[in-house]
Amino acid sequence: MAVNKYYTITELTREFGVSTRTLRFYEDEGLIHPERRGRTRLFRSADRRLLQEILRGRRIGFTIAEIREIINVYKEPPGELGQLKLMMNRIDEKRSELRQKRKDIEETLEELDNAEEACLTRLAEIGVST
Amino acid sequence: MAVNKYYTITELTREFGVSTRTLRFYEDEGLIHPERRGRTRLFRSADRRLLQEILRGRRIGFTIAEIREIINVYKEPPGELGQLKLMMNRIDEKRSELRQKRKDIEETLEELDNAEEACLTRLAEIGVST
DNA sequence: ATTGACTGTTACGTAAAAGTCAAATATTCT
DNA sequence: AGAATATTTGACTTTTACGTAACAGTCAAT
């Protein structure tokens, strides 16, 4: 079965457009934990999916620390009540933050539309005189 | 008329929760151009609005260079045809980038919802035994 | 005239997230 | 086995976006 397929580090760097340094850095930071054959890293598809999430967080603009936090949130929620409430608070914070960002993005998209229209108008003006 | 109201630098820092260092830095970087009375900076409401846009760009995760570029796009579109096409291309690029980011955000929001549900479930489990 | 709040400039410092380079191993291909 | 290729670790460097310190000028109020 192809279930046990490994990805080498360079396969992943090529697929996602990141450097090997980046992947090693993420491992140092405790974001990913690829297996080893000797010293060589072997990535499973679970690692691959995790990397996808990390890079999504990166694109959004989260710091490593924030990404780590979100990853932990995905894992099992803690059994202790206080921890659980803390976690739910953090989830709430992240959610507000993301909603604000989404709003910012939508406003900026509108402004880009306006800017494009202005360009088209100007283009028409020039086009006429060409 | 209150039309000519000035904002001092600290008024703006308080309103937007940024430091004076940040505003001076943005001026150094050519993002804003407050007037001067002697050496003292005087901000008009146009500067204030511009600052709002800058901070929105910052929240989205744009670099200073990108923010500067977007600001320039908002200004008058250039008269020269080549420039105009370049600008429209950049607008298109930014738009794709922002749409990707919005998608990333929406996916992450969904995952946060899942994580919260898991927390609630766990909370119920604990609550029962409390 | 002095105090205190605000402002200015200049210059150095810093944290995050990799990039870059070197030297040593490991793996793959023939 | 031996050459060619890929990978690892470690150290040093870079870039961005300010923070921070040091020191001086401005202005209103006491």
Side-chain angles (χ1 to χ4, degrees), chain B residues 84-99:
Chain B
L84 205 47
K85 285 185 174 172
L86 263 175
M87 176 167 287
M88 290 181 66
N89 280 337
R90 283 204 298 258
I91 289 177
D92 247 38
E93 282 174 23
K94 291 285 173 218
R95 192 152 38 199
S96 312
E97 197 182 322
L98 287 184
R99 283 180 179 149

Side-chain angles (χ1 to χ4, degrees), chain A residues 62-95:
Chain A
F62 284 138
T63 66
I64 297 295
E66 288 169 321
I67 291 173
R68 183 166 31 228
E69 211 177 309
I70 291 179
I71 286 176
N72 288 333
V73 166
Y74 293 156
K75 290 184 188 165
E76 276 305 278
E80 203 262 306
L81 186 64
Q83 293 285 321
L84 205 46
K85 286 185 175 173
L86 263 175
M87 175 167 288
M88 291 181 67
N89 280 337
R90 283 202 298 256
I91 290 176
D92 248 38
E93 282 173 23
K94 290 285 173 220
R95 190 152 38 198

Side-chain angles (χ1 to χ4, degrees), chain A residues 18-95:
Chain A
V18 296
S19 70
T20 58
R21 177 72 182 83
T22 299
L23 296 190
R24 294 187 193 113
F25 175 68
Y26 288 164
E27 186 179 2
D28 282 350
E29 292 292 319
L31 298 185
I32 50 181
H33 305 282
E35 296 170 25
R36 297 284 178 132
R37 177 173 50 200
R39 331 180 84 183
T40 303
R41 292 167 178 82
L42 298 173
F43 295 79
R44 302 279 192 171
S45 44
D47 298 311
R48 203 188 81 104
R49 278 192 298 275
L50 184 51
L51 180 57
Q52 278 183 306
E53 295 198 0
I54 292 169
L55 294 178
R56 190 167 63 203
R58 184 174 82 159
R59 284 195 300 271
I60 291 175
F62 284 138
T63 66
I64 297 295
E66 288 169 321
I67 291 173
R68 183 166 31 228
E69 211 177 309
I70 291 179
I71 286 176
N72 288 333
V73 166
Y74 293 156
K75 290 184 188 165
E76 276 305 278
E80 203 262 306
L81 186 64
Q83 293 285 321
L84 205 46
K85 286 185 175 173
L86 263 175
M87 175 167 288
M88 291 181 67
N89 280 337
R90 283 202 298 256
I91 290 176
D92 248 38
E93 282 173 23
K94 290 285 173 220
R95 190 152 38 198

Side-chain angles (χ1 to χ4, degrees), chain B:
Chain B
M1 316 160 202
V3 168
N4 287 324
K5 216 268 175 192
Y6 292 124
Y7 298 88
T8 72
I9 194 167
T10 33
E11 276 173 345
L12 288 187
T13 63
R14 282 184 187 136
E15 177 172 3
F16 293 111
V18 297
S19 68
T20 57
R21 178 71 181 85
T22 300
L23 295 190
R24 293 187 191 117
F25 174 69
Y26 288 164
E27 186 179 1
D28 282 350
E29 291 292 319
L31 297 185
I32 51 180
H33 305 283
E35 296 170 23
R36 296 284 179 133
R37 179 174 47 200
R39 331 181 84 184
T40 304
R41 292 166 179 83
L42 298 173
F43 296 80
R44 302 279 193 171
S45 44
D47 297 312
R48 202 188 82 105
R49 278 192 298 274
L50 185 51
L51 179 58
Q52 277 183 307
E53 294 197 1
I54 292 170
L55 294 178
R56 191 168 60 205
R58 182 174 84 160
R59 284 195 301 271
I60 291 175
F62 285 138
T63 66
I64 298 294
E66 288 170 321
I67 291 173
R68 184 167 30 229
E69 209 179 313
I70 291 180
I71 285 176
N72 288 334
V73 165
Y74 292 156
K75 290 184 187 165
E76 275 305 279
E80 203 263 305
L81 186 64
Q83 292 286 319
L84 205 47
K85 285 185 174 172
L86 263 175
M87 176 167 287
M88 290 181 66
N89 280 337
R90 283 204 298 258
I91 289 177
D92 247 38
E93 282 174 23
K94 291 285 173 218
R95 192 152 38 199
S96 312
E97 197 182 322
L98 287 184
R99 283 180 179 149
Q100 174 66 55
K101 249 176 202 170
R102 186 171 55 183
K103 197 178 150 204
D104 289 331
I105 286 174
E106 263 147 22
E107 287 171 7
T108 307
L109 276 171
E110 279 179 33
E111 295 195 23
L112 286 181
D113 286 347
N114 294 339
E116 188 183 38
E117 266 196 64
C119 283
L120 285 173
T121 304
R122 179 63 69 101
L123 194 59
E125 289 171 15
I126 297 174
V128 168
S129 66
T130 309

